[in-house]
């Protein structure tokens, strides 16, 4: 069964998402990052290209020719047949068929709207019986 990691009270959710992607890659895991739109995907891709002066975070779109050799895939649509070790959910919905991921990562900002969305997601994951880890990032 999947494990869900909530990173809460994050000051800069997009910057933290880049850091989290780099951390997952450094651990030798493959990461799928899911967005609501192609525009959000393109923005995040640019952030990964410029993330830090000395860090390179290799990534590509899901389905790209180089995807088999790239540790981080970006998508605005979750295909039905795909199974993947780690999902970073930067979209507004819960993924369908959550069990196809070993871990699902959720980043929660400090604003009330983000916190409310996180409460609803936390409840939905818990009702489905998933193990949930909470990481308070307010002091980081």
């Amino acid at each position: 069964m999947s494990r869900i990691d909530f990173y809460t009270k994050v000051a800069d959710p997009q910057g933290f998402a880049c850091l989290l992607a780099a951390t997952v890659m450094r651990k030798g895991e493959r990461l799928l990052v899911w967005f609501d739109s192609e525009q959000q995907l393109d923005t995040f891709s640019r952030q990964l290209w410029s993330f830090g002066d000395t860090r390179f975070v290799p990534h590509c779109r899901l389905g790209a020719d180089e995807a088999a050799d790239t540790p981080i895939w970006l998508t605005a649509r979750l295909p039905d047949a795909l199974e993947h070790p780690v999902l970073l959910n930067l979209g507004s919905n819960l993924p369908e068929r959550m069990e196809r991921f070993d871990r699902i990562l959720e980043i929660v900002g400090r604003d009330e709207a983000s916190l409310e969305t996180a409460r609803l997601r936390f409840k939905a994951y818990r009702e489905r019986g998933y193990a949930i880890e909470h990481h308070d990032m307010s002091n980081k």
Side-chain angles (χ1 to χ4, degrees), residues 19-48:
L19 181 63
L20 198 54
T23 300
V24 171
M25 180 196 70
R26 197 171 46 253
K27 290 181 176 181
E29 296 177 295
R30 296 185 66 97
L31 177 68
L32 178 65
V33 187
W34 181 34
F35 305 89
D36 284 331
S37 70
E38 293 292 326
Q39 181 181 6
Q40 291 172 334
L41 185 154
D42 290 338
T43 299
F44 188 72
S45 179
R46 284 191 297 278
Q47 288 176 310
L48 283 177

Side-chain angles (χ1 to χ4, degrees), residues 105-124:
L105 311 176
E106 296 277 356
I107 298 174
V108 183
R110 294 181 177 179
D111 60 287
E112 190 54 43
S114 295
L115 293 169
E116 182 59 30
T117 298
R119 287 181 196 105
L120 294 172
R121 287 185 184 190
F122 187 94
K123 181 179 177 184

Side-chain angles (χ1 to χ4, degrees), residues 10-86:
V10 176
D12 175 15
Q14 287 297 309
F16 186 76
C18 290
L19 181 63
L20 198 54
T23 300
V24 171
M25 180 196 70
R26 197 171 46 253
K27 290 181 176 181
E29 296 177 295
R30 296 185 66 97
L31 177 68
L32 178 65
V33 187
W34 181 34
F35 305 89
D36 284 331
S37 70
E38 293 292 326
Q39 181 181 6
Q40 291 172 334
L41 185 154
D42 290 338
T43 299
F44 188 72
S45 179
R46 284 191 297 278
Q47 288 176 310
L48 283 177
W49 281 114
S50 60
F51 179 64
D53 293 335
T54 59
R55 295 184 194 177
F56 174 64
V57 183
H59 64 282
C60 68
R61 289 177 177 272
L62 177 66
D65 292 340
E66 64 274 16
D69 300 316
T70 306
I72 299 172
W73 298 347
L74 310 180
T75 189
R77 186 183 153 283
L78 288 178
D80 293 332
L82 179 71
E83 293 191 17
H84 209 73
V86 183

